[in-house]
Amino acid sequence: MADPMSAFDALAGRIADIERRFAGLGDDLAELSGTASDETGLVSATVDATGVLTGLNLAPAALRAGTEGLAELVLDAYRRARTAAAERVEERTEGLDVELGAGLTDLFGRPGDFSALGRLEETIGRLGRLDDRLPGSPA
């Protein structure tokens, strides 16, 4: 039978490894943006990683397109900026879903594999019994 503390340490180590792999990802994504211009180059838009519009620049000539034409130019630039941001997010996160999935599968088993719960319950039980034998453990 494996030492429960070793199993617990191994679990804690794997969780720490997953945390290290994803450290800073949130900050990276918060700073990520995409900027693009419409087909004519008269309007440029900037969006954040979630696609929220954060900047819009109109060349004076864009105003000559009229309200409907200007709206089309803005939407075109916005769509292109969203695509650019999505591509940057994809580049930054490429493979992370596989890493996270593999790490979690190692820890908890595959979906529908409830034997991991049994192993977890067994480990918790062993840790409890070990804790009961330690000096100064709560009554």
Side-chain angles (χ1 to χ4, degrees):
M1 219 175 253
D3 174 23
M5 290 306 290
S6 296
F8 183 75
D9 289 343
L11 176 64
R14 286 183 175 214
I15 291 172
D17 184 46
I18 290 171
E19 288 174 341
R20 274 192 299 278
R21 290 183 200 176
F22 291 90
L25 180 61
D27 292 337
D28 288 352
L29 293 179
E31 294 176 11
L32 189 140
S33 65
T35 300
S37 296
D38 73 291
E39 189 174 276
T40 67
L42 296 176
V43 175
S44 70
T46 301
V47 299
D48 67 12
T50 64
V52 172
L53 184 66
T54 59
L56 184 65
N57 293 309
L58 308 173
L63 301 176
R64 292 189 206 116
T67 55
E68 287 183 22
L70 181 58
E72 288 177 20
L73 295 175
V74 168
L75 288 174
D76 183 32
Y78 173 69
R79 287 183 192 113
R80 291 171 186 248
R82 281 184 57 124
T83 298
E87 288 171 356
R88 293 191 66 206
V89 168
E90 180 65 31
E91 289 169 5
R92 176 60 182 95
T93 60
E94 186 175 1
L96 291 181
D97 56 340
V98 172
E99 287 182 33
L100 177 60
L104 293 178
T105 298
D106 289 347
L107 288 174
F108 302 112
R110 298 198 178 285
D113 175 14
F114 298 107
S115 63
L117 292 176
R119 291 191 303 272
L120 182 59
E121 287 175 358
E122 179 183 342
T123 301
I124 290 171
R126 287 181 180 177
L127 288 172
R129 288 189 299 276
L130 180 62
D131 190 47
D132 290 342
R133 294 188 308 204
L134 294 174
S137 60

